[in-house]
Amino acid sequence: MPDPAADLRPHRAPKALGGLAALACVACCALPVLITAGVVGAGAGAVVGWLPGLAVVLAVLAAGTWWLGQRRRSRSCSCAAKAAGEGGCGCKASADPLRITSTGRR
């Protein structure tokens, strides 16, 4: 099973939750207009009452999953003091030894 910390694909959960929150916001504003115009039935009015709360909950969930993903990604590559010179971080193992050369000005 692959290491979830090494997964470089963009995580879809925050984007999906953010999109659903935006859709709930649009529906919250559009449904009263559509009900008044007669496009949708008056039964949709029962849904309008809880759409703002749903939008807030989805936005908080999107922010939380994004934050947890960023936190997990930043912790996945913590450098040890002795391995910091190899590849910039302790996560990569380099087969070639680190060479220190003098590049003074001439």
Side-chain angles (χ1 to χ4, degrees):
M1 182 155 83
D3 184 18
D7 188 14
L8 298 177
R9 291 178 295 157
H11 298 289
R12 294 185 183 137
K15 291 178 184 178
L17 288 170
L20 287 174
L23 183 65
C25 287
V26 168
C28 179
C29 296
L31 272 178
V33 173
L34 293 174
I35 292 170
T36 304
V39 177
V40 276
V47 176
V48 174
W50 54 267
L51 277 176
L54 178 67
V56 168
V57 168
L58 287 170
V60 167
L61 284 174
T65 55
W66 175 83
W67 179 74
L68 285 174
Q70 294 296 320
R71 185 171 177 222
R72 181 175 54 166
R73 195 172 308 139
S74 68
R75 288 178 144 205
S76 67
C77 189
S78 59
C79 297
K82 62 183 179 182
E86 299 172 2
C89 188
C91 296
K92 283 186 169 179
S94 177
D96 298 329
L98 180 65
R99 283 192 240 158
I100 301 174
T101 59
S102 170
T103 57
R105 294 185 182 199
R106 294 182 194 198

